[in-house]
Amino acid sequence: MVVIMNLQEYLKSMVKDNCPPNCRLSREGVEIARVPPPNEILGIIISRDPPISWWHFYRFAMAENQEDTARKMLYASAIPGLLMDRIWAFMGERINWSDLESLYNIVFKKVYWTHLHKCFTDKSQEKTVFKPRDATICANQWLKEELLLVITEGAQFILTLGREAQNWIEKWQKEAKESEKVKVIKLPHPSGLNRKWNNKNDKNILTQVRLLIDICRLKS
């Protein structure tokens, strides 16, 4: 009998014992980051990997009794919140307060955030450093099903951050029929080290940000 799970149930199955054995980190004692999803999902953010420097805050937030509170804490502390800051700085006077409010409202309340590579990585440790091969193996194991579930639950867009996530999604688009049901928005990773955001005249970033704003404005 085929058991159909929703996203919440699927995340509970995302444990080390079920990880693909050919991923190096499946053999290491590294925790999987599972950010609680919102009740209503309009979109999904995919970033590369959770860094070990975020692990202590992750554990602190996940100790909250309310998943909604934990999710908002995690978003504010990491990629989603950082992305909002980057967009605001990049757009400047090209975004009004109403659209900025819609953007925050949708991203923090109706967007599910996940990673290409689920385990926490540590760039200072060879055993747990991020490697694209492991990320691909991990995403093939977990992310494909996540995307199917969020699209089934009503997601209308996928927001990819950074080259690795975008490369994987481009391949997924060619193979998955579900990709026709969603818009894919591609933005640079919001890390402070990423200088692409510094060029406020970058037409590609501007086009993608405006697409995201349009979606959020309509659904807010």
Side-chain angles (χ1 to χ4, degrees):
M1 180 177 67
V2 177
V3 178
I4 301 175
M5 293 185 287
N6 59 30
L7 182 59
Q8 290 276 13
E9 293 168 337
Y10 183 68
L11 290 177
K12 292 178 182 178
S13 75
M14 196 181 292
V15 295
K16 297 290 286 189
D17 287 345
N18 295 333
C19 282
N22 52 339
C23 173
R24 293 174 309 116
L25 272 67
S26 68
R27 302 186 298 272
E28 301 293 337
V30 185
E31 186 173 355
I32 293 173
R34 290 170 293 188
V35 180
N39 292 327
E40 179 184 356
I41 299 177
L42 181 65
I44 176 172
I45 291 176
I46 304 173
S47 54
R48 196 184 77 167
D49 59 319
I52 197 66
S53 58
W54 185 58
W55 179 79
H56 287 290
F57 190 90
Y58 171 82
R59 294 297 299 270
F60 170 73
M62 291 297 285
E64 286 288 326
N65 292 328
Q66 298 294 325
E67 285 193 345
D68 186 61
T69 300
R71 186 186 70 258
K72 290 177 181 177
M73 290 173 65
L74 294 173
Y75 280 28
S77 71
I79 296 298
L82 183 58
L83 177 64
M84 295 301 98
D85 291 342
R86 280 292 207 173
I87 289 175
W88 190 1
F90 175 83
M91 294 299 288
E93 295 181 353
R94 294 176 293 191
I95 185 170
N96 58 48
W97 283 105
S98 177
D99 285 345
L100 190 62
E101 184 176 358
S102 296
L103 194 61
Y104 271 92
N105 185 55
I106 293 298
V107 169
F108 274 77
K109 295 181 179 180
K110 298 182 181 181
V111 168
Y112 168 56
W113 171 36
T114 191
H115 297 87
L116 185 72
H117 192 281
K118 307 304 182 187
C119 284
F120 284 87
T121 62
D122 186 353
K123 62 183 179 181
S124 67
Q125 299 291 331
E126 176 59 28
K127 286 186 176 181
T128 55
V129 71
F130 174 87
K131 291 190 176 181
R133 176 184 175 275
D134 292 330
T136 299
I137 293 170
C138 184
N140 289 343
Q141 173 76 6
W142 300 116
L143 187 54
K144 284 184 178 180
E145 187 68 18
E146 282 180 278
L147 289 174
L148 175 60
L149 290 171
V150 297
I151 292 172
T152 300
E153 294 185 17
Q156 297 180 21
F157 70 89
I158 298 170
L159 175 52
T160 59
L161 302 176
R163 183 182 69 257
E164 290 88 355
Q166 288 164 9
N167 289 344
W168 188 89
I169 282 293
E170 286 176 1
K171 184 178 179 180
W172 171 82
Q173 285 180 283
K174 296 176 182 178
E175 300 173 349
K177 293 181 179 180
E178 295 80 20
S179 65
E180 299 173 359
K181 300 178 181 179
V182 291
K183 294 180 179 178
V184 175
I185 301 170
K186 301 176 182 179
L187 287 173
H189 194 280
S191 166
L193 299 176
N194 194 333
R195 296 182 179 180
K196 291 183 179 180
W197 287 97
N198 296 342
N199 180 7
K200 293 180 171 53
N201 295 316
D202 189 303
K203 293 183 179 179
N204 291 328
I205 297 178
L206 183 59
T207 298
Q208 297 297 297
V209 169
R210 282 177 170 165
L211 176 57
L212 178 62
I213 291 172
D214 288 344
I215 295 173
C216 293
R217 183 193 301 125
L218 290 172
K219 298 297 179 179
S220 182

